[in-house]
Amino acid sequence: MTGKDNIANLFRENYSRLYSFAFTLLKDDAAAHDAVHDVFADLLNSDINIAIGNGYLMRSVRNRCLNIIRDMPIKENVERLVMTESSFESIFGNDLDYEENLDMIRRIIREYLPHQCSKVMLLRYESGYSYADIAEELGISKVIVYKHLKNGLDKIRAILFRKN
């Protein structure tokens, strides 16, 4: 059996498990398929003659997924991982009017979120600042801005679902 035959067997035996793992990380069907295919394409195109086990394949797929995530614009990461401001309507339904919803969310931001997280949320959603503008204004990195937005939205979502 040639090296390519071994890789083809590895592909058939491990594809669905590796795809599921990639999908868990990426939350995107096409990107998960691409990540797994890229790992096997790299194996086919390499001159490596080592025994390839499940651990190697999992690490390779994980690293490929992390590279994909790293290369996404921050905005796409936020949209992929957390709910955007327009989806707050789905939490409330039509029970309250829009202004009451916004007032409730503002109150949650001010009363329940840590100070820095609250500042990031208000700059983004009330003042319309970009991630870069928020980072510059507060003297933090764009990654920290992203983390504050994600954590803030998670906390808001949890509080709103508890109230409903």
Side-chain angles (χ1 to χ4, degrees), residues 8 29 34 36 58 60 62 65 68 74-75 86 89-90 96 98 112 125 128 135 156 158:
D29 182 59
D34 289 346
V36 176
M58 291 295 280
S60 296
R62 181 202 62 200
C65 292
I68 290 169
I74 282 184
K75 181 174 181 175
S86 63
E89 293 171 14
S90 66
L96 302 171
Y98 185 71
Y112 293 96
Y125 296 113
I156 291 168

Side-chain angles (χ1 to χ4, degrees), residues 7-23:
I7 293 171
N9 284 337
L10 283 171
F11 181 84
R12 282 188 291 278
E13 293 169 4
N14 295 288
Y15 183 82
S16 61
R17 182 176 54 85
L18 294 171
Y19 163 78
S20 295
F21 177 61
F23 184 81

Side-chain angles (χ1 to χ4, degrees), residues 57-160:
L57 291 172
M58 291 295 280
R59 279 190 306 278
S60 296
V61 169
R62 181 202 62 200
N63 291 341
R64 181 64 53 135
C65 292
L66 292 175
N67 288 342
I68 290 169
I69 292 168
R70 179 199 65 209
D71 294 339
M72 286 179 195
I74 282 184
K75 181 174 181 175
E76 190 175 329
N77 277 328
V78 170
E79 289 171 355
R80 184 179 301 274
L81 296 173
V82 298
M83 114 177 94
T84 60
E85 54 269 60
S86 63
S87 60
F88 280 120
E89 293 171 14
S90 66
I91 293 172
F92 296 108
N94 293 326
D95 295 342
L96 302 171
D97 73 5
Y98 185 71
E99 284 303 315
E100 288 176 22
N101 292 343
L102 287 179
D103 287 341
M104 184 183 301
I105 292 168
R106 285 184 189 109
R107 198 168 39 258
I108 291 169
I109 289 171
R110 288 186 174 94
E111 294 175 12
Y112 293 96
L113 299 183
H115 180 69
Q116 185 80 339
C117 184
S118 176
K119 283 170 53 176
V120 169
M121 296 290 292
L122 293 173
L123 286 172
R124 175 68 183 144
Y125 296 113
E126 282 197 339
S127 302
Y129 280 41
S130 69
Y131 303 105
D133 291 341
I134 295 169
E136 186 177 322
E137 175 81 17
L138 299 178
I140 58 178
S141 73
K142 287 192 283 186
V143 172
I144 298 299
V145 170
Y146 160 76
K147 287 182 179 180
H148 280 304
L149 289 172
K150 181 192 179 312
N151 292 339
L153 289 171
D154 286 346
K155 180 105 176 180
I156 291 168
R157 189 180 314 127
I159 291 167
L160 291 174

